[in-house]
Amino acid sequence: MKNSKELIRSLKFVAFSASAGVIQVASFTLMEELLHWTHWVAYLISLVLSVLWNFTLNRKFTFYSAGNVPVAMLKVAVFYAVFTPLSTWWTAVLTGESIGWNEYLVLALTMATNFVTEYLYDRFVVFGKTLDTAKKESKK
């Protein structure tokens, strides 16, 4: 029972993360191609939109957390305060002239790293103590 519950939780996280990826790509493309905004501005705004979308859906439908939203959002911001500069750095290094990996390969590896580390961080740090509390609250 517990294993199937975690499998379903993981599958929901995959689906919501994929939808967040679509939001990030679509909003980035809109700002970059149609509005001609500066690249880093378009990237940052699209990343924030994606993270907010993913956080909101996963909090409510994957982790069922009734915990303090600002505290949970702050924890997610801490994750991205570490992950964003690190991923920017390793992207530059791996795609640079000395190593020369393909940009899309690095992007795919970075997205996979983000997916796994964010799931674990959300599951055990952000929502760990408030996991499934929204279900319990609604039954009272």
Side-chain angles (χ1 to χ4, degrees):
M1 174 74 177
K2 188 173 182 174
N3 286 340
S4 64
K5 184 177 184 178
E6 288 303 316
L7 176 63
I8 291 169
R9 191 184 314 276
S10 299
L11 292 173
K12 286 180 182 181
F13 191 84
V14 168
F16 294 139
S17 295
S19 69
V22 169
I23 286 176
Q24 185 171 354
V25 170
S27 61
F28 176 81
T29 302
L30 172 73
M31 290 179 275
E32 181 86 5
E33 301 298 332
L34 295 178
L35 301 175
H36 305 289
W37 288 7
T38 304
H39 178 79
W40 72 268
V41 172
Y43 169 73
L44 187 59
I45 292 171
S46 65
L47 178 64
V48 169
L49 291 173
S50 170
V51 169
L52 289 172
W53 173 266
N54 204 28
F55 171 83
T56 302
L57 292 178
N58 279 310
R59 179 184 170 274
K60 184 165 180 69
F61 300 111
T62 302
F63 299 110
Y64 301 103
S65 174
N68 186 310
V69 175
V71 169
M73 289 184 95
L74 181 61
K75 290 177 182 178
V76 171
V78 167
F79 174 86
Y80 277 97
V82 174
F83 185 83
T84 302
L86 281 175
S87 64
T88 301
W89 170 76
W90 76 56
T91 296
V93 169
L94 293 174
T95 60
E97 289 184 26
S98 62
I99 297 178
W101 286 12
N102 179 279
E103 294 87 354
Y104 292 100
L105 171 63
V106 174
L107 177 62
L109 292 171
T110 300
M111 291 176 79
T113 302
N114 184 4
F115 168 75
V116 171
T117 57
E118 187 177 2
Y119 177 80
L120 294 171
Y121 185 80
D122 284 356
R123 170 66 176 81
F124 296 106
V125 176
V126 177
F127 302 114
K129 292 180 181 175
T130 63
L131 196 64
D132 296 329
T133 55
K135 282 184 173 180
K136 294 173 189 168
E137 293 292 319
S138 66
K139 290 180 181 179
K140 289 183 180 178

